[in-house]
Amino acid sequence: MKYIDEFRDGEVAQSIAAAIKAEADANATYHIMEFCGGHTHAISRYGLEDLLPANVRMIHGPGCPVCVLPVGRIDAAIWLAKQPGVTLVTYGDMLRVPGSRRLSLLKAKAEGADVRMVYSTLDAIKLASANPERQVVFFAIGFETTTPPTAVAIKQAQALGLKNFSVFCNHVLTPSAITQILDSPEVRELGTVKLDAFIGPAHVSTIIGSRPYEYFAEEYQRPVVIAGFEPLDVMQAVRMLVRQINDGRFEVENEFARAVTRDGNEKAKSLVADMFELRRVFEWRGLGAVPYSALRLKEPYAAWDAERRWDVPQDSPPDNKACECGAILRGVKKPTDCKLFGTVCTPENPMGSCMVSAEGACAAHWTYGRFRDLERSE
């Protein structure tokens, strides 16, 4: 398949790995964070860390939209689902994320709440049109990639005059999260997390473009390479970052040029800017309260805002104390550092959000990485 098969060529991957080993300074260590969960999944699935030299280390970042949503927002979605006459709809991954007291949307559904999975925002609109007697609430999550479809759904609801459709908005912003990581005590003061460079997200960058990352490269002196999700994309991005670090350059380079431009998708950005505004602060799992890192609907679209239609709880319960998901999202720990990983916590019985989504570091390592750990120990 064009643009797929040629980016999964094992021989080419080996040649890039050999080039990285030849170009990397044997006396230096390269700490590279892949921000996006899609990259984390690709790295685990294709065993890319095994191809890299030992002094090139990958650090998993917080770019999994399911993983970063805090317990309080899950609880709020469950609360909405339990309101009389409400049908709450969302993407499949969100159904199994545990809130406080180990309750998830799937368990709330088993207890009688009307919770349904959809594949797109258009499914939610169709459901609202077909069930005028129900209040259909779309539990909207995700980074800049999934925000435009939510905006389109609201525009359609407006055009159709749907009074029974609303959005529980949890859309978050990539640049704010990167800033929070770089300003964190672990990176800036304590030095417990060393970050030399970033692999920039793929799908997010098709929307926002490469321009927003230029600030991080210049202000924090961290090179960024935007990469696609295929294994050769990631390997080539690592090679480009090793070269930048060796040269002392702090630039934004675009490996994913077949899909990403400097300015991104202007139409999508304009639609989002018209309908959404910044929240002053929003809580992220693992990162805490991050200023101006999430979106809410502007006043002209308040009629479709579930948080204005209902008095949605704004509680902030703590994570499971034994779960290390927060530290894993910050790059402080790896999945295997968590005592629950692979014992109490599995994809069938997730204790934290990192084990739920396919893009979560724990789920990716459970599916692929743990077998390589066994091979290394034999």
Side-chain angles (χ1 to χ4, degrees):
M1 185 182 295
K2 190 170 179 59
Y3 300 124
I4 298 292
D5 294 342
E6 63 265 46
F7 287 91
R8 297 181 181 178
D9 189 310
E11 291 184 3
V12 177
Q14 292 283 358
S15 67
I16 298 175
I20 293 171
K21 185 175 181 179
E23 295 174 17
D25 184 348
N27 297 315
T29 304
Y30 302 80
H31 301 84
I32 298 172
M33 173 176 278
E34 85 278 359
F35 180 88
C36 187
H39 290 136
T40 301
H41 183 86
I43 289 167
S44 293
R45 178 181 179 184
Y46 296 103
L48 301 187
E49 286 182 292
D50 293 342
L51 296 178
L52 297 173
N55 62 333
V56 177
R57 300 176 183 173
M58 303 305 298
I59 301 169
H60 306 317
C64 164
V66 173
C67 304
V68 299
L69 210 58
V71 172
R73 300 299 281 185
I74 305 297
D75 285 353
I78 294 170
W79 182 90
L80 278 167
K82 291 183 174 182
Q83 298 310 297
V86 167
T87 296
L88 187 130
V89 299
T90 190
Y91 302 126
D93 278 351
M94 292 309 306
L95 299 181
R96 298 174 57 246
V97 179
S100 61
R101 301 180 299 279
R102 298 287 303 131
L103 185 63
S104 66
L105 283 168
L106 202 59
K107 290 180 180 178
K109 178 180 176 68
E111 293 177 357
D114 190 357
V115 177
R116 308 190 194 185
M117 183 187 77
V118 293
Y119 290 101
S120 74
T121 56
L122 300 185
D123 291 341
I125 291 293
K126 290 177 182 177
L127 191 64
S129 298
N131 298 274
E133 76 286 358
R134 303 287 297 177
Q135 285 291 331
V136 176
V137 180
F138 176 60
F139 184 11
I141 68 148
F143 291 94
E144 291 89 343
T145 316
T146 55
T147 309
T150 300
V152 169
I154 295 168
K155 284 286 190 182
Q156 285 196 314
Q158 186 180 42
L160 294 170
L162 292 178
K163 305 289 188 183
N164 66 322
F165 176 79
S166 60
V167 170
F168 179 41
C169 184
N170 294 271
H171 288 301
V172 291
L173 305 175
T174 302
S176 302
I178 295 177
T179 299
Q180 187 79 354
I181 291 169
L182 290 171
D183 282 338
S184 69
E186 292 95 345
V187 173
R188 195 152 218 178
E189 298 167 15
L190 303 177
T192 51
V193 177
K194 185 168 172 55
L195 293 179
D196 298 314
F198 283 92
I199 294 180
H203 291 159
V204 163
S205 301
T206 65
I207 303 296
I208 67 174
S210 63
R211 188 190 295 268
Y213 308 107
E214 294 171 6
Y215 168 77
F216 308 111
E218 180 179 350
E219 180 68 19
Y220 293 93
Q221 297 197 325
R222 299 294 200 286
V224 178
V225 172
I226 297 164
F229 287 133
E230 296 303 325
L232 296 192
D233 287 318
V234 178
M235 292 297 289
Q236 181 61 21
V238 171
R239 185 183 184 186
M240 293 165 73
L241 288 169
V242 166
R243 286 177 172 176
Q244 281 208 53
I245 294 168
N246 287 347
D247 296 343
R249 292 184 288 118
F250 309 105
E251 300 172 5
V252 177
E253 294 181 313
N254 183 13
E255 184 277 337
F256 198 32
R258 63 188 186 275
V260 172
T261 63
R262 186 166 184 249
D263 292 316
N265 187 324
E266 295 288 4
K267 186 173 183 179
K269 291 194 297 183
S270 177
L271 179 63
V272 170
D274 173 62
M275 300 180 65
F276 292 91
E277 62 188 8
L278 288 171
R279 295 178 185 263
R280 191 184 65 79
V281 69
F282 191 79
E283 183 184 355
W284 292 52
R285 191 188 301 254
L287 300 182
V290 183
Y292 305 108
S293 64
L295 300 173
R296 60 175 288 175
L297 285 166
K298 289 182 175 179
E299 187 60 35
Y301 301 96
W304 292 276
D305 187 345
E307 290 184 88
R308 288 180 169 104
R309 188 171 293 188
W310 286 274
D311 187 17
V312 178
Q314 301 293 326
D315 300 331
S316 184
D319 287 335
N320 184 325
K321 291 183 179 180
C323 175
E324 298 286 5
C325 188
I328 292 166
L329 290 169
R330 296 195 305 276
V332 176
K333 293 187 176 183
K334 296 181 178 180
T336 49
D337 294 330
C338 181
K339 295 179 181 179
L340 301 183
F341 178 81
T343 55
V344 177
C345 185
T346 65
E348 291 73 30
N349 184 46
M351 292 291 111
S353 57
C354 294
M355 188 60 92
V356 175
S357 171
E359 294 185 356
C362 294
H365 194 75
W366 169 267
T367 305
Y368 305 107
R370 63 195 174 108
F371 299 109
R372 286 193 295 277
D373 289 342
L374 288 173
E375 289 173 0
R376 293 189 195 104
S377 64
E378 291 177 353

